[in-house]
Amino acid sequence: MNSLLATLTRLGPTRLIIIMGITIGVTMALLMMSFRIGSPEKALLFSGLDLKEASVMTAKLDQMGVAYDLRGGGSAIFVPRKKVMEARMALAKDNLPSSGSMGYEIFDKSSTIGQTGFSQNMAQLRALQGELERTITTLDGVSAARVLLVLPQRTLFQRESSAPKASVVIRLQDNVIGASQTRAIRQLVASAVPGLKAGGVTVADESGRLLAKPQNDENGTDLGDGQRTMVEMAISKKIKSMLQPITGSDGVQVQVAAVLDMNRVTETSTVYDPEGRVIVSSDTTEETSDDVQNENAGGVSVGSNVPSAKKDTSDGPKTRAATSRNSEILNYGNSKTDRTVIRQAGAITRLSVAVVVDGSLRTDADGKQVYTPRSADEMSQIEALVKSAMGFDPARKDAVTVTNVRFSRPAPLGDVPPPSKFSFDKNDIMRGLELFILAVVSIALMIFIGKPLITGLGGGGPVLAGGALAAGNTDLPQLPGSVAAVDESGTPAILPAPTAGDDDNDSIDVARIQGQVKVSSVKKVAKIVDSHPDEAMSILRTWLHEE
């Protein structure tokens, strides 16, 4: 015990603090390695969660008794790898994660009693937006979505109302999305909202890129590049579906380039036919009169017109006058034709089709695959089929190119054996490498740091008078007055120092210290002092302090 205290006293406070720090670090590293090896490996359950939804999911995991770790500021949850699928199925039962959107279940959690019409309309709008967000998130390449709908309310006595609009912001998984997926999102939103056209839906990603801008077309259809792409894909699909039974599913490649007329034209014309005279209207008039008069009738007088006067009804000579007149008016006009023609945008003005067809592979008698190019007759038949499928029109100057080229095909894989019980996947390999590195670091810490500390603290070797350990090194020269060794009782043995007057400054009495110090050792000490003056000065200061 006394030797240990003496050793600690010689080390000094600075060295003791360093030794304690290194010891604590090695101990913590060993404890971390032991905990790491004993604890199960964690795997990612869900990431990109908001704090509110993460709290609900962790509460559910606590009920299930599943240990978890929160990382990434609470946005990522890690659970033991063996319980990942079980936890996901249990959370999916409660519709978690829901990406923070609320669907039509909002009506299940609230009562309609006492709600105003505005509150019910807002709840319906939120539910519709949430359902659209969930549906868009299921598309390939989309990790999250946000939908905003603008549904104008028509008020009383309003003649015209504005059309509804929508904005969609999506978060992409690989920062790339195809034009077909963008059109699918627009059509999906337009079909779910009454009165909304696909051209009124704006789609953007989280980086601010505009994937689909609103269109001014009254039909709400995509114009320009979108419609051209759709036409090219439709024609390419027709050609492939016709040629694949002949060449196989991987034996044909088709590329279509279409030129469309994007002008919407309305033509109105009136055509007159000078030879086609027709009766426009007719008016026929027929007049007939028959008048009989008595020749003995007197003249007209006042008496004859008096009502009480007697008329002369005697028969006498009479005269009769009969007249008849017919008239007809005919109106003629030339025939005319009024014609109105509306040409919608998107008419095909030219098509260019390139088709590459692979040959056929046959197996010879030796079992080798032999490539056989297609004959000229087969290529002619294939070209005729392509022209029929695309609607070839020489007036539009359509172009068709059909070429037979051997495709580069990878070698076929053999039968893959089923995985054995001792098979390792990528996760197992990474886990093994992690444990191996931890073990190597821990062993290195114990060998190069822990062992020298334990040996030095336990008095396993002599200590030089400057604090330097000299355990097991008997070849080091010892200066007179320094600690050469420790005796059996634990007391340091001090070499005798030379006395004044025994020798001059230039020589040393070798006979006096014979058996203790050799001449070669003294020379080595001199060299050490010359090469390390600072250390030699420190030793001298230690001697003075001890005296």
Side-chain angles (χ1 to χ4, degrees):
M1 186 66 182
N2 295 330
S3 62
L4 178 60
L5 294 176
T7 304
L8 294 177
T9 303
R10 287 194 302 271
L11 291 177
T14 304
R15 292 184 175 87
L16 287 176
I17 293 174
I18 295 174
I19 292 173
M20 291 297 295
I22 295 174
T23 304
I24 293 173
V26 173
T27 304
M28 292 180 63
L30 294 175
L31 291 176
M32 290 178 61
M33 188 192 70
S34 62
F35 290 150
R36 182 69 177 173
I37 295 176
S39 61
E41 185 182 2
K42 298 295 182 63
L44 179 63
L45 181 64
F46 290 107
S47 62
L49 304 173
D50 57 359
L51 297 180
K52 182 177 180 181
E53 192 168 24
S55 63
V56 177
M57 297 176 67
T58 52
K60 181 65 176 178
L61 293 176
D62 290 334
Q63 295 178 1
M64 297 171 55
V66 178
Y68 60 87
D69 290 338
L70 294 176
R71 304 177 187 176
S75 61
I77 301 177
F78 286 77
V79 298
R81 183 176 299 277
K82 296 181 179 180
K83 297 185 177 181
V84 170
M85 299 307 299
E86 179 183 355
R88 287 180 179 176
M89 294 177 66
L91 294 175
K93 183 179 179 181
D94 295 338
N95 196 21
L96 292 173
S98 60
S99 301
S101 59
M102 182 70 68
Y104 284 113
E105 65 272 9
I106 190 174
F107 298 104
D108 300 333
K109 300 180 180 180
S110 61
S111 176
T112 58
I113 300 177
Q115 288 188 355
T116 62
F118 177 78
S119 300
Q120 293 181 357
N121 293 334
M122 290 302 299
Q124 183 181 5
L125 180 63
R126 291 178 55 194
L128 182 57
Q129 291 179 165
E131 293 294 335
L132 288 174
E133 291 172 2
R134 295 177 182 178
T135 306
I136 294 174
T137 308
T138 58
L139 298 178
D140 187 17
V142 180
S143 60
R146 178 69 173 167
V147 179
L148 298 177
L149 299 177
V150 179
L151 304 179
Q153 298 292 333
R154 186 171 182 177
T155 59
L156 191 62
F157 303 113
Q158 183 179 3
R159 294 183 178 180
E160 296 180 357
S161 61
S162 57
K165 298 179 182 179
S167 300
V168 181
V169 180
I170 59 178
R171 182 188 302 166
L172 304 178
Q173 295 177 354
D174 300 328
N175 200 25
V176 177
I177 191 172
S180 59
Q181 291 173 305
T182 304
R183 288 193 299 273
I185 293 174
R186 302 183 73 180
Q187 294 293 340
L188 187 147
V189 176
S191 301
V193 179
L196 179 61
K197 304 295 183 180
V201 181
T202 303
V203 183
D205 61 357
E206 74 278 6
S207 61
R209 293 183 302 174
L210 191 62
L211 304 178
K213 61 182 180 180
Q215 303 290 340
N216 295 325
D217 183 44
E218 62 180 3
N219 295 327
T221 57
D222 291 338
L223 302 179
D225 296 338
Q227 189 170 0
R228 184 176 67 251
T229 303
M230 294 178 63
V231 172
E232 293 173 353
M233 292 177 60
I235 297 175
S236 176
K237 185 177 180 181
K238 288 182 181 179
I239 297 174
K240 282 186 177 181
S241 62
M242 181 173 291
L243 297 182
Q244 281 178 355
I246 302 174
T247 61
S249 59
D250 298 332
V252 60
Q253 293 294 330
V254 180
Q255 290 293 331
V256 179
V259 179
L260 305 182
D261 184 8
M262 305 311 300
N263 297 322
R264 187 174 181 271
V265 181
T266 302
E267 294 181 356
T268 302
S269 61
T270 302
V271 180
Y272 290 92
D273 185 8
E275 301 296 334
R277 189 182 64 175
V278 296
I279 298 175
V280 177
S281 63
S282 62
D283 185 10
T284 304
T285 303
E286 183 178 354
E287 296 180 359
T288 303
S289 63
D290 189 3
D291 188 13
V292 178
Q293 295 181 359
N294 191 357
E295 293 181 355
N296 294 328
V300 178
S301 62
V302 177
S304 60
N305 293 323
V306 175
S308 60
K310 295 182 179 180
K311 294 182 181 181
D312 188 6
T313 58
S314 60
D315 294 334
K318 298 178 180 181
T319 61
R320 185 176 182 178
T323 60
S324 177
R325 187 180 65 176
N326 295 327
S327 63
E328 183 178 4
I329 299 174
L330 299 177
N331 295 323
Y332 291 91
N334 294 329
S335 62
K336 69 175 181 178
T337 302
D338 294 333
R339 183 181 181 186
T340 301
V341 178
I342 299 176
R343 294 190 179 93
Q344 295 290 348
I348 299 175
T349 58
R350 190 173 185 273
L351 287 177
S352 299
V353 179
V355 180
V356 180
V357 181
D358 192 11
S360 59
L361 293 176
R362 295 183 176 86
T363 305
D364 58 3
D366 298 334
K368 297 182 179 180
Q369 297 288 338
V370 178
Y371 175 79
T372 303
R374 299 190 179 274
S375 61
D377 294 338
E378 291 180 335
M379 296 302 297
S380 299
Q381 294 176 0
I382 292 175
E383 183 176 357
L385 292 175
V386 172
K387 290 183 177 180
S388 300
M390 63 174 286
F392 182 80
D393 188 1
R396 295 185 311 205
K397 298 181 180 180
D398 294 346
V400 178
T401 303
V402 182
T403 306
N404 179 209
V405 179
R406 182 174 182 177
F407 289 4
S408 177
R409 300 178 183 271
L413 298 176
D415 296 335
V416 179
S420 61
K421 296 181 180 179
F422 300 98
S423 61
F424 298 95
D425 56 0
K426 180 180 178 181
N427 296 325
D428 296 332
I429 295 175
M430 296 301 295
R431 175 67 172 173
L433 290 176
E434 182 180 357
L435 296 177
F436 176 75
I437 293 173
L438 287 175
V440 171
V441 172
S442 301
I443 294 173
L445 290 175
M446 289 186 293
I447 293 176
F448 296 103
I449 297 178
K451 184 178 179 181
L453 289 176
I454 295 174
T455 304
L457 294 176
V463 182
L464 291 176
L469 297 175
N473 191 354
T474 59
D475 295 335
L476 290 177
Q478 305 295 334
L479 294 176
S482 62
V483 181
V486 179
D487 57 9
E488 296 178 356
S489 61
T491 303
I494 309 299
L495 294 177
T499 59
D502 293 339
D503 289 314
D504 54 6
N505 296 331
D506 297 331
S507 63
I508 297 176
D509 189 1
V510 180
R512 185 177 179 180
I513 59 175
Q514 185 177 6
Q516 298 180 6
V517 180
K518 297 181 180 179
V519 178
S520 59
S521 299
V522 175
K523 293 181 179 180
K524 291 180 180 179
V525 170
K527 292 181 180 180
I528 292 174
V529 172
D530 293 337
S531 59
H532 302 284
D534 296 336
E535 288 77 357
M537 184 64 67
S538 176
I539 294 174
L540 292 175
R541 289 176 179 174
T542 303
W543 291 346
L544 293 175
H545 179 72
E546 291 178 354
E547 291 295 332

